[in-house]
Amino acid sequence: MRIAIVSDIHSNFDALEAVAADFHGVDQIWCLGDVVGYGPEPGACVEWVRKNAAECIAGNHDWAAIRKVSVRDFNDVAATAALWTGSRLSDADTAYLESLPSTREIDCLPGSEAIRRGVTLAHGSPRDPIWEYLVNARLAGANFPHFPGDLCFVGHSHQPVAFSLDHSRPGGPEPTRPRVEPARFDRPVEIGSARHIVNAGSVGQPRDGDPAARYVILDTDARSWEWRRVEYDIGAVQTKIRAVGLPDILWMRLAYGR
Ligand code: ZN
């Protein structure tokens, strides 16, 4: 079974459409939250996710837009975008975002015995799914006891990276500090005997210096995942952001991937 995992779409429908056009032979789509916030087309993105994603969890921007969490911890730009986003959502969009769970444990993948003990989805981290940023090995290591299986997929930091903890080495102390594996885009990464927290990167607002949209393909039969990068028409979405009057930084940063 092949699953496309998208995260941090951030109301960037141009990037989402480009990513979706890159899906080949995908059986399911999972979304890791932050469908909205920052970008110009929140409604189109929510509708797409509602229609296409078999699983979706909430991100901080999704719940800020509908006032389910406070924007108090947001910077001015993010708060402005959240308030604007809320004003653009239909009742159905709002109800959908309201209904999203903060984590999902997917126990059994049809057609696959290969992923033991299921897959966990969390926007930020398994122990603090809405808010925690897994930006280093120490924070990631502290999260491994908080999910049961071999795999946890996260977003939120917009950094495509994996934290991997290998328990297979005989003898020696139980490792607690995971290896940090930056994303590679040339071939799939084997799950192997390790446990992993995998950040899918961001579809709609990449922040690792490469402006291309990112997502992940999980192949449960091959026991591997693959980060994908997809070029899209950044100019088109920049024009839309300017037209709706969101802060300039939100269109400028897309060109730099920061
Ligand atoms: Zn985000």
Side-chain angles (χ1 to χ4, degrees), residues 19 28 40 42 46 57 66 75 81 97 106 115 121 132 142 147 149 163 167 188 206 215 228 245:
V19 159
Q28 260 189 28
V46 174
I57 53 173
I66 61 168
N75 62 39
L97 296 178
I106 299 161
I115 306 295
L121 310 183
E132 185 177 26
F147 65 99
F163 302 98
H167 289 271
Y215 75 101
R228 305 275 304 165

PDB file of all heavy atoms in Angstrom, residues 19 28 40 42 46 57 66 75 81 97 106 115 121 132 142 147 149 163 167 188 206 215 228 245:
ATOM      1  N   VAL A  19       1.493  19.090  -5.984  1.00  0.00           N
ATOM      2  CA  VAL A  19       1.849  17.883  -5.234  1.00  0.00           C
ATOM      3  C   VAL A  19       0.910  16.729  -5.626  1.00  0.00           C
ATOM      4  O   VAL A  19       1.354  15.610  -5.888  1.00  0.00           O
ATOM      5  CB  VAL A  19       1.802  18.180  -3.711  1.00  0.00           C
ATOM      6  CG1 VAL A  19       1.661  16.916  -2.896  1.00  0.00           C
ATOM      7  CG2 VAL A  19       3.051  18.952  -3.293  1.00  0.00           C
ATOM      8  N   GLN A  28      -3.882   5.903  -0.699  1.00  0.00           N
ATOM      9  CA  GLN A  28      -4.521   6.738   0.324  1.00  0.00           C
ATOM     10  C   GLN A  28      -3.731   8.018   0.492  1.00  0.00           C
ATOM     11  O   GLN A  28      -2.548   8.073   0.174  1.00  0.00           O
ATOM     12  CB  GLN A  28      -4.533   6.003   1.673  1.00  0.00           C
ATOM     13  CG  GLN A  28      -5.855   5.366   1.985  1.00  0.00           C
ATOM     14  CD  GLN A  28      -5.939   4.824   3.402  1.00  0.00           C
ATOM     15  OE1 GLN A  28      -5.292   5.308   4.328  1.00  0.00           O
ATOM     16  NE2 GLN A  28      -6.773   3.817   3.559  1.00  0.00           N
ATOM     17  N   PRO A  40      -3.544  32.147   0.623  1.00  0.00           N
ATOM     18  CA  PRO A  40      -4.718  32.879   0.149  1.00  0.00           C
ATOM     19  C   PRO A  40      -5.970  32.040  -0.103  1.00  0.00           C
ATOM     20  O   PRO A  40      -7.032  32.609  -0.354  1.00  0.00           O
ATOM     21  CB  PRO A  40      -4.224  33.467  -1.179  1.00  0.00           C
ATOM     22  CG  PRO A  40      -3.250  32.452  -1.688  1.00  0.00           C
ATOM     23  CD  PRO A  40      -2.581  31.871  -0.466  1.00  0.00           C
ATOM     24  N   PRO A  42      -7.804  29.279   1.745  1.00  0.00           N
ATOM     25  CA  PRO A  42      -8.116  28.304   2.795  1.00  0.00           C
ATOM     26  C   PRO A  42      -9.269  27.370   2.435  1.00  0.00           C
ATOM     27  O   PRO A  42      -9.184  26.152   2.648  1.00  0.00           O
ATOM     28  CB  PRO A  42      -8.466  29.175   4.016  1.00  0.00           C
ATOM     29  CG  PRO A  42      -8.752  30.540   3.475  1.00  0.00           C
ATOM     30  CD  PRO A  42      -7.941  30.662   2.226  1.00  0.00           C
ATOM     31  N   VAL A  46      -9.205  23.253   2.386  1.00  0.00           N
ATOM     32  CA  VAL A  46     -10.008  22.442   3.307  1.00  0.00           C
ATOM     33  C   VAL A  46     -10.906  21.493   2.515  1.00  0.00           C
ATOM     34  O   VAL A  46     -11.025  20.306   2.834  1.00  0.00           O
ATOM     35  CB  VAL A  46     -10.852  23.319   4.253  1.00  0.00           C
ATOM     36  CG1 VAL A  46     -11.797  22.459   5.100  1.00  0.00           C
ATOM     37  CG2 VAL A  46      -9.954  24.153   5.156  1.00  0.00           C
ATOM     38  N   ILE A  57      -5.367  15.182  10.759  1.00  0.00           N
ATOM     39  CA  ILE A  57      -5.320  15.624  12.153  1.00  0.00           C
ATOM     40  C   ILE A  57      -5.193  17.149  12.182  1.00  0.00           C
ATOM     41  O   ILE A  57      -4.899  17.780  11.158  1.00  0.00           O
ATOM     42  CB  ILE A  57      -4.134  14.972  12.899  1.00  0.00           C
ATOM     43  CG1 ILE A  57      -2.841  15.219  12.130  1.00  0.00           C
ATOM     44  CG2 ILE A  57      -4.392  13.481  13.111  1.00  0.00           C
ATOM     45  CD1 ILE A  57      -1.602  14.759  12.862  1.00  0.00           C
ATOM     46  N   ILE A  66     -10.215  28.845  13.664  1.00  0.00           N
ATOM     47  CA  ILE A  66     -11.600  28.716  14.140  1.00  0.00           C
ATOM     48  C   ILE A  66     -11.712  29.061  15.635  1.00  0.00           C
ATOM     49  O   ILE A  66     -12.706  28.759  16.282  1.00  0.00           O
ATOM     50  CB  ILE A  66     -12.153  27.296  13.868  1.00  0.00           C
ATOM     51  CG1 ILE A  66     -11.328  26.215  14.591  1.00  0.00           C
ATOM     52  CG2 ILE A  66     -12.205  27.017  12.367  1.00  0.00           C
ATOM     53  CD1 ILE A  66     -11.999  24.847  14.598  1.00  0.00           C
ATOM     54  N   ASN A  75       2.981  35.017  16.374  1.00  0.00           N
ATOM     55  CA  ASN A  75       3.508  36.351  16.072  1.00  0.00           C
ATOM     56  C   ASN A  75       2.433  37.140  15.310  1.00  0.00           C
ATOM     57  O   ASN A  75       1.390  36.591  14.933  1.00  0.00           O
ATOM     58  CB  ASN A  75       4.841  36.260  15.310  1.00  0.00           C
ATOM     59  CG  ASN A  75       4.689  35.567  13.959  1.00  0.00           C
ATOM     60  OD1 ASN A  75       3.701  35.772  13.252  1.00  0.00           O
ATOM     61  ND2 ASN A  75       5.654  34.741  13.595  1.00  0.00           N
ATOM     62  N   ALA A  81      -2.981  36.471   9.814  1.00  0.00           N
ATOM     63  CA  ALA A  81      -3.405  35.469   8.822  1.00  0.00           C
ATOM     64  C   ALA A  81      -4.489  34.560   9.399  1.00  0.00           C
ATOM     65  O   ALA A  81      -5.433  34.196   8.698  1.00  0.00           O
ATOM     66  CB  ALA A  81      -2.205  34.649   8.362  1.00  0.00           C
ATOM     67  N   LEU A  97     -12.763  21.446  10.386  1.00  0.00           N
ATOM     68  CA  LEU A  97     -11.538  21.713  11.167  1.00  0.00           C
ATOM     69  C   LEU A  97     -11.784  21.458  12.655  1.00  0.00           C
ATOM     70  O   LEU A  97     -10.928  20.943  13.364  1.00  0.00           O
ATOM     71  CB  LEU A  97     -11.051  23.149  10.932  1.00  0.00           C
ATOM     72  CG  LEU A  97     -10.604  23.468   9.501  1.00  0.00           C
ATOM     73  CD1 LEU A  97     -10.181  24.941   9.390  1.00  0.00           C
ATOM     74  CD2 LEU A  97      -9.462  22.565   9.040  1.00  0.00           C
ATOM     75  N   ILE A 106      -2.971   4.619  13.618  1.00  0.00           N
ATOM     76  CA  ILE A 106      -3.533   3.789  12.565  1.00  0.00           C
ATOM     77  C   ILE A 106      -2.975   2.387  12.765  1.00  0.00           C
ATOM     78  O   ILE A 106      -1.803   2.123  12.534  1.00  0.00           O
ATOM     79  CB  ILE A 106      -3.208   4.383  11.184  1.00  0.00           C
ATOM     80  CG1 ILE A 106      -3.853   5.776  11.120  1.00  0.00           C
ATOM     81  CG2 ILE A 106      -3.751   3.495  10.078  1.00  0.00           C
ATOM     82  CD1 ILE A 106      -3.305   6.659  10.077  1.00  0.00           C
ATOM     83  N   ILE A 115       4.068  -3.039   8.670  1.00  0.00           N
ATOM     84  CA  ILE A 115       4.291  -1.989   9.650  1.00  0.00           C
ATOM     85  C   ILE A 115       3.788  -2.483  10.995  1.00  0.00           C
ATOM     86  O   ILE A 115       2.589  -2.572  11.226  1.00  0.00           O
ATOM     87  CB  ILE A 115       3.560  -0.685   9.254  1.00  0.00           C
ATOM     88  CG1 ILE A 115       3.940  -0.267   7.838  1.00  0.00           C
ATOM     89  CG2 ILE A 115       3.847   0.416  10.255  1.00  0.00           C
ATOM     90  CD1 ILE A 115       5.372   0.118   7.647  1.00  0.00           C
ATOM     91  N   LEU A 121       0.174   9.524  13.805  1.00  0.00           N
ATOM     92  CA  LEU A 121       0.208  10.830  13.140  1.00  0.00           C
ATOM     93  C   LEU A 121       0.020  11.917  14.195  1.00  0.00           C
ATOM     94  O   LEU A 121      -0.883  11.816  15.038  1.00  0.00           O
ATOM     95  CB  LEU A 121      -0.922  10.952  12.108  1.00  0.00           C
ATOM     96  CG  LEU A 121      -1.093   9.821  11.086  1.00  0.00           C
ATOM     97  CD1 LEU A 121      -2.226  10.159  10.113  1.00  0.00           C
ATOM     98  CD2 LEU A 121       0.199   9.570  10.321  1.00  0.00           C
ATOM     99  N   GLU A 132       4.235  21.324  20.088  1.00  0.00           N
ATOM    100  CA  GLU A 132       5.690  21.103  20.241  1.00  0.00           C
ATOM    101  C   GLU A 132       6.410  21.011  18.887  1.00  0.00           C
ATOM    102  O   GLU A 132       5.968  20.311  17.981  1.00  0.00           O
ATOM    103  CB  GLU A 132       5.963  19.814  21.030  1.00  0.00           C
ATOM    104  CG  GLU A 132       7.457  19.625  21.313  1.00  0.00           C
ATOM    105  CD  GLU A 132       7.773  18.399  22.165  1.00  0.00           C
ATOM    106  OE1 GLU A 132       6.985  17.433  22.155  1.00  0.00           O
ATOM    107  OE2 GLU A 132       8.824  18.426  22.829  1.00  0.00           O
ATOM    108  N   ALA A 142      12.956  12.489  23.447  1.00  0.00           N
ATOM    109  CA  ALA A 142      11.999  12.490  24.558  1.00  0.00           C
ATOM    110  C   ALA A 142      10.603  12.072  24.096  1.00  0.00           C
ATOM    111  O   ALA A 142       9.737  11.760  24.908  1.00  0.00           O
ATOM    112  CB  ALA A 142      11.941  13.883  25.183  1.00  0.00           C
ATOM    113  N   PHE A 147       4.843   7.066  21.454  1.00  0.00           N
ATOM    114  CA  PHE A 147       4.077   6.387  20.401  1.00  0.00           C
ATOM    115  C   PHE A 147       4.469   4.913  20.386  1.00  0.00           C
ATOM    116  O   PHE A 147       5.601   4.572  20.718  1.00  0.00           O
ATOM    117  CB  PHE A 147       4.241   7.061  19.033  1.00  0.00           C
ATOM    118  CG  PHE A 147       5.630   7.014  18.443  1.00  0.00           C
ATOM    119  CD1 PHE A 147       5.966   6.062  17.485  1.00  0.00           C
ATOM    120  CD2 PHE A 147       6.597   7.919  18.841  1.00  0.00           C
ATOM    121  CE1 PHE A 147       7.233   6.022  16.921  1.00  0.00           C
ATOM    122  CE2 PHE A 147       7.876   7.879  18.295  1.00  0.00           C
ATOM    123  CZ  PHE A 147       8.194   6.932  17.338  1.00  0.00           C
ATOM    124  N   GLY A 149       4.443   2.384  17.949  1.00  0.00           N
ATOM    125  CA  GLY A 149       4.935   1.582  16.835  1.00  0.00           C
ATOM    126  C   GLY A 149       6.326   1.974  16.372  1.00  0.00           C
ATOM    127  O   GLY A 149       7.127   2.542  17.112  1.00  0.00           O
ATOM    128  N   PHE A 163      14.183  11.435  12.610  1.00  0.00           N
ATOM    129  CA  PHE A 163      14.907  11.093  13.833  1.00  0.00           C
ATOM    130  C   PHE A 163      14.762   9.590  14.008  1.00  0.00           C
ATOM    131  O   PHE A 163      13.633   9.090  14.072  1.00  0.00           O
ATOM    132  CB  PHE A 163      14.315  11.839  15.026  1.00  0.00           C
ATOM    133  CG  PHE A 163      14.339  13.330  14.866  1.00  0.00           C
ATOM    134  CD1 PHE A 163      13.207  14.010  14.428  1.00  0.00           C
ATOM    135  CD2 PHE A 163      15.489  14.063  15.135  1.00  0.00           C
ATOM    136  CE1 PHE A 163      13.221  15.392  14.270  1.00  0.00           C
ATOM    137  CE2 PHE A 163      15.512  15.451  14.981  1.00  0.00           C
ATOM    138  CZ  PHE A 163      14.374  16.108  14.550  1.00  0.00           C
ATOM    139  N   HIS A 167      17.029   0.039  17.896  1.00  0.00           N
ATOM    140  CA  HIS A 167      17.060  -0.805  19.094  1.00  0.00           C
ATOM    141  C   HIS A 167      17.649  -2.179  18.807  1.00  0.00           C
ATOM    142  O   HIS A 167      17.631  -3.039  19.661  1.00  0.00           O
ATOM    143  CB  HIS A 167      15.628  -0.988  19.636  1.00  0.00           C
ATOM    144  CG  HIS A 167      15.082   0.255  20.237  1.00  0.00           C
ATOM    145  ND1 HIS A 167      15.259   0.578  21.559  1.00  0.00           N
ATOM    146  CD2 HIS A 167      14.397   1.282  19.685  1.00  0.00           C
ATOM    147  CE1 HIS A 167      14.677   1.740  21.802  1.00  0.00           C
ATOM    148  NE2 HIS A 167      14.149   2.191  20.687  1.00  0.00           N
ATOM    149  N   PRO A 188      14.129   6.095  -1.812  1.00  0.00           N
ATOM    150  CA  PRO A 188      13.405   5.824  -0.563  1.00  0.00           C
ATOM    151  C   PRO A 188      14.341   5.477   0.584  1.00  0.00           C
ATOM    152  O   PRO A 188      15.477   5.047   0.368  1.00  0.00           O
ATOM    153  CB  PRO A 188      12.528   4.621  -0.922  1.00  0.00           C
ATOM    154  CG  PRO A 188      12.461   4.591  -2.408  1.00  0.00           C
ATOM    155  CD  PRO A 188      13.756   5.161  -2.893  1.00  0.00           C
ATOM    156  N   PRO A 206       7.545  25.879   2.553  1.00  0.00           N
ATOM    157  CA  PRO A 206       8.821  25.243   2.934  1.00  0.00           C
ATOM    158  C   PRO A 206       9.757  26.248   3.609  1.00  0.00           C
ATOM    159  O   PRO A 206       9.729  27.441   3.290  1.00  0.00           O
ATOM    160  CB  PRO A 206       9.399  24.790   1.591  1.00  0.00           C
ATOM    161  CG  PRO A 206       8.224  24.711   0.672  1.00  0.00           C
ATOM    162  CD  PRO A 206       7.287  25.794   1.120  1.00  0.00           C
ATOM    163  N   TYR A 215       6.436  16.522   0.233  1.00  0.00           N
ATOM    164  CA  TYR A 215       5.539  15.577   0.883  1.00  0.00           C
ATOM    165  C   TYR A 215       6.259  14.245   0.965  1.00  0.00           C
ATOM    166  O   TYR A 215       7.419  14.125   0.557  1.00  0.00           O
ATOM    167  CB  TYR A 215       4.203  15.474   0.133  1.00  0.00           C
ATOM    168  CG  TYR A 215       4.230  14.695  -1.166  1.00  0.00           C
ATOM    169  CD1 TYR A 215       3.763  13.381  -1.212  1.00  0.00           C
ATOM    170  CD2 TYR A 215       4.739  15.255  -2.336  1.00  0.00           C
ATOM    171  CE1 TYR A 215       3.781  12.656  -2.394  1.00  0.00           C
ATOM    172  CE2 TYR A 215       4.759  14.530  -3.519  1.00  0.00           C
ATOM    173  CZ  TYR A 215       4.288  13.236  -3.545  1.00  0.00           C
ATOM    174  OH  TYR A 215       4.317  12.511  -4.710  1.00  0.00           O
ATOM    175  N   ARG A 228       9.452  13.634  -1.273  1.00  0.00           N
ATOM    176  CA  ARG A 228       9.337  14.118  -2.649  1.00  0.00           C
ATOM    177  C   ARG A 228       9.385  15.643  -2.634  1.00  0.00           C
ATOM    178  O   ARG A 228       8.856  16.276  -1.712  1.00  0.00           O
ATOM    179  CB  ARG A 228       7.997  13.682  -3.255  1.00  0.00           C
ATOM    180  CG  ARG A 228       7.734  12.191  -3.193  1.00  0.00           C
ATOM    181  CD  ARG A 228       8.338  11.432  -4.333  1.00  0.00           C
ATOM    182  NE  ARG A 228       7.891  11.934  -5.614  1.00  0.00           N
ATOM    183  CZ  ARG A 228       8.501  11.621  -6.774  1.00  0.00           C
ATOM    184  NH1 ARG A 228       9.579  10.849  -6.795  1.00  0.00           N
ATOM    185  NH2 ARG A 228       8.030  12.110  -7.908  1.00  0.00           N
ATOM    186  N   GLY A 245      -4.426  40.896   0.330  1.00  0.00           N
ATOM    187  CA  GLY A 245      -3.955  41.869   1.315  1.00  0.00           C
ATOM    188  C   GLY A 245      -3.331  41.281   2.570  1.00  0.00           C
ATOM    189  O   GLY A 245      -3.224  41.972   3.590  1.00  0.00           O
TER     190      GLY A 245
END
